[in-house]
Amino acid sequence: MGDYILAIDQGTTGTTVALMDATGRLRASVNHEFPQHYPKPGWVDHRVDDIRASVEKGIRGVLRKGVCKASEIAAVGLTNQRETALLWDRETGEALNNAVVWQCRRTTEFCEALKSAGHEKAVRRKTGLVLDPYFSASKFRWLLRNTPGIKRRLAAGRVAGGTVDSYLVWQLTGGQQHVTDVSNAARTSLMNLKTLDWDSELAELFEVPREILPAIVPCSGLLGHTRGVRGLPDGIPIAGMAGDQQAALFGQACFAVGDAKCTFGTGSFIVMNTGGEPLHSHAGLLTTVAWQLGEGGKPVYALEGGAFICGAAVQWLRDGLKLIRRAADVEALAAKVEDHGGVEFVPALTGLGAPHWAPEARGVITGLTRGTTRAHIARATLDAIALQNADILRAMEKDLGRRMRPLRVDGGASANNLLMQIQADVLGRKLLRPQLIETTVAGASYLAGIGIGLWRGTADIRRGWQAGEEFRVRLSAPARRRRRASWETALERTLR
Ligand code: G3P
């Protein structure tokens, strides 16, 4: 066997498959987008076969790049869109319904009913999460009530449930392993943050039978072996696994308490390492597990704030409004104007996440005049992405009671220099962009490499992290306050 790690990042809009060598360099990667389905306003579905096919295509595609032979892959690392829930048949492996995507709001009414019945405090205390349709538990319940033939299958013990990580491990091991890692399990609303196990009271509250759930395992170690995967030999250890935001935190080498990163993906997520104890938020943020290395390893916790729409807003400009041809064109278009020209776009296209938690909120564009151009809308979109993050960072600093360290940025849209400058300006904080911005696949590779002993631990990873560009604040404090005030007026309209 060689020393390459194959990392699979199964994201919301597509799958990236990459190869990392033993020096920690990403040597090749491919990405395959797949269709999104919006069966009703506020609903978001994925076809499970599209997810599976994109992974298989990615594995074949990255191997075709000729960096190494399949026999030289020493381990597989996985990372994934979190919270998205799905059910499949244990005997045939066949998906029983579409996957209900994390952005989907179809379970709003049920979550509101639980809130009205006074359950939010207990859910929060046990899971670190708010009661919101974002998390998997209410999605499992919906699937269990709305999937044809489910009762019969449940009675026969054939229903397997899980988040995307769990489904992928099942697929890659030829149905040998039904597991989920602790960082993904932490996003279901069914795992107790302290015991790191499924909580029977929560399972009862959300009406999710314990027997459909996978076993919870650490983020690195021997988690299974490949079996029957086209293009890969049997027996390669699957040795790393984490939700994409936690993998990015790991890939950014945020190993010290207070280290934080912001990933600009479909959504944007600020996550801060809070060390060995969960820190409960009073400002609308989530407490979550960052990772656990090896069986019995001490868990590391994190504080997180996510805006549901980031790159997805740019995709909407491309696909919904047809304002640009390629997502990357947004930077040049937005740079044609000096500022947003009074236009505000609040991209609450799937409700609002942290720190507002308003699943019913919908997007608005305000401040249009006859002088408004496509460029103003593009610029307002970039501003909105940055302003949402600024709201989250402020909430985080409130919880901490002090200023945070410079924020590390990553993800596809972090390559957009204009967006990064706007972000530094509206935050009033310096940003650090590493040389490697694909930190999510990198994180999954590192976890797998540590899992097989290719790297000894986090110290090896920290040494490999290389700073790229810094973005310093250029906007004056009064100008920043004015910019935020205008955004907040538009935001209030969305929340009203
Ligand atoms: O919680 C949702 C998150 O995991 C999705 O990430 O990268 O697909 O925006 P991404």
Side-chain angles (χ1 to χ4, degrees), residues 82 102 105 124 128-132 134-135 187 267-271 281-287 303-309 346-348 350-359 361 384-396 399 487 491 495:
R82 306 163 306 164
W102 59 277
R105 317 276 87 199
R124 224 191 151 117
L129 310 175
V130 299
L131 233 173
D132 190 88
Y134 175 26
F135 306 102
R187 316 294 299 184
S268 78
F269 297 85
I270 300 181
V271 186
S281 172
H282 299 283
L285 302 177
L286 307 174
T287 308
L303 202 57
E304 171 176 324
F308 294 152
I309 300 285
V346 184
T350 55
L352 284 172
H356 314 289
W357 301 107
I385 291 172
L387 286 155
Q388 291 186 127
N389 286 333
D391 289 345
I392 290 169
L393 195 101
R394 275 222 304 264
M396 228 171 235
D399 275 334
W487 160 254
L491 190 63
L495 292 169

Side-chain angles (χ1 to χ4, degrees), residues 11-13 80-83 102 134 187 244-245 265-267 269:
T12 311
T13 54
N80 57 290
Q81 51 166 322
R82 306 163 306 164
E83 299 97 14
W102 59 277
Y134 175 26
R187 316 294 299 184
D244 56 6
Q245 301 312 318
T266 306
F269 297 85

Side-chain angles (χ1 to χ4, degrees), residues 60-108:
R60 290 197 300 274
V62 82
L63 285 170
R64 241 183 272 127
K65 298 236 169 186
V67 167
C68 70
K69 295 198 205 84
S71 57
E72 291 176 289
I73 296 171
V76 175
L78 288 177
T79 181
N80 57 290
Q81 51 166 322
R82 306 163 306 164
E83 299 97 14
T84 297
L86 56 154
L87 301 180
W88 64 95
D89 186 303
R90 284 184 195 279
E91 280 175 24
T92 63
E94 161 208 7
L96 302 179
N97 208 328
N98 283 346
V100 181
V101 177
W102 59 277
Q103 291 171 323
C104 186
R105 317 276 87 199
R106 80 185 57 176
T107 58
T108 302

Side-chain angles (χ1 to χ4, degrees), residues 123-422:
V123 170
R124 224 191 151 117
R125 184 174 40 81
K126 284 185 168 191
T127 67
L129 310 175
V130 299
L131 233 173
D132 190 88
Y134 175 26
F135 306 102
S136 327
S138 65
K139 300 181 195 290
F140 283 129
R141 179 181 179 273
W142 187 93
L143 284 167
L144 289 165
R145 293 165 77 96
N146 293 281
T147 298
I150 196 79
K151 283 214 175 92
R152 184 175 36 84
R153 281 198 164 95
L154 275 172
R158 286 175 61 164
V159 179
T163 39
V164 171
D165 55 311
S166 186
Y167 175 72
L168 292 182
V169 177
W170 175 278
Q171 286 292 332
L172 293 171
T173 60
Q176 297 292 296
Q177 295 292 339
H178 186 206
V179 295
T180 184
D181 83 278
V182 68
S183 72
N184 272 293
R187 316 294 299 184
T188 57
S189 289
L190 296 169
M191 191 191 85
N192 186 307
L193 263 190
K194 277 293 199 183
T195 63
L196 305 185
D197 199 0
W198 303 122
D199 184 288
S200 47
E201 279 171 14
L202 292 170
E204 202 174 307
L205 183 69
F206 287 99
E207 300 167 33
V208 179
R210 169 70 185 82
E211 50 286 7
I212 72 159
L213 295 173
I216 302 175
V217 296
C219 303
S220 78
L222 281 182
L223 312 172
H225 290 96
T226 53
R227 199 169 106 165
V229 183
R230 255 179 77 197
L232 288 184
D234 284 356
I236 304 177
I238 297 169
M241 208 165 134
D244 56 6
Q245 301 312 318
Q246 288 95 329
L249 190 71
F250 202 84
Q252 281 275 27
C254 287
F255 301 133
V257 175
D259 284 352
K261 65 88 199 176
C262 178
T263 304
F264 295 78
T266 306
S268 78
F269 297 85
I270 300 181
V271 186
M272 187 183 73
N273 181 328
T274 60
E277 286 302 318
L279 181 82
H280 283 276
S281 172
H282 299 283
L285 302 177
L286 307 174
T287 308
T288 203
V289 176
W291 52 74
Q292 180 191 26
L293 303 182
E295 198 61 55
K298 209 170 154 4
V300 171
Y301 293 90
L303 202 57
E304 171 176 324
F308 294 152
I309 300 285
C310 167
V314 177
Q315 277 186 338
W316 180 70
L317 298 186
R318 182 192 68 188
D319 305 335
L321 293 190
K322 311 262 186 267
L323 220 59
I324 43 178
R325 217 165 47 79
R326 295 171 315 137
D329 296 342
V330 71
E331 183 171 3
L333 181 59
K336 285 191 178 157
V337 287
E338 223 161 85
D339 60 26
H340 64 122
V343 177
E344 295 290 0
F345 171 27
V346 184
L349 308 180
T350 55
L352 284 172
H356 314 289
W357 301 107
E360 301 281 26
R362 291 294 176 263
V364 293
I365 299 182
T366 64
L368 300 175
T369 65
R370 286 194 63 177
T372 302
T373 65
R374 291 157 61 230
H376 289 111
I377 304 218
R379 173 68 197 237
T381 306
L382 298 189
D383 281 16
I385 291 172
L387 286 155
Q388 291 186 127
N389 286 333
D391 289 345
I392 290 169
L393 195 101
R394 275 222 304 264
M396 228 171 235
E397 291 190 339
K398 220 191 253 170
D399 275 334
L400 284 178
R402 58 176 162 79
R403 273 170 80 106
M404 283 172 59
R405 301 213 185 127
L407 191 64
R408 298 183 173 193
V409 293
D410 58 78
S414 72
N416 180 329
N417 288 334
L418 176 59
L419 174 60
M420 292 305 103
Q421 189 55 52
I422 298 170

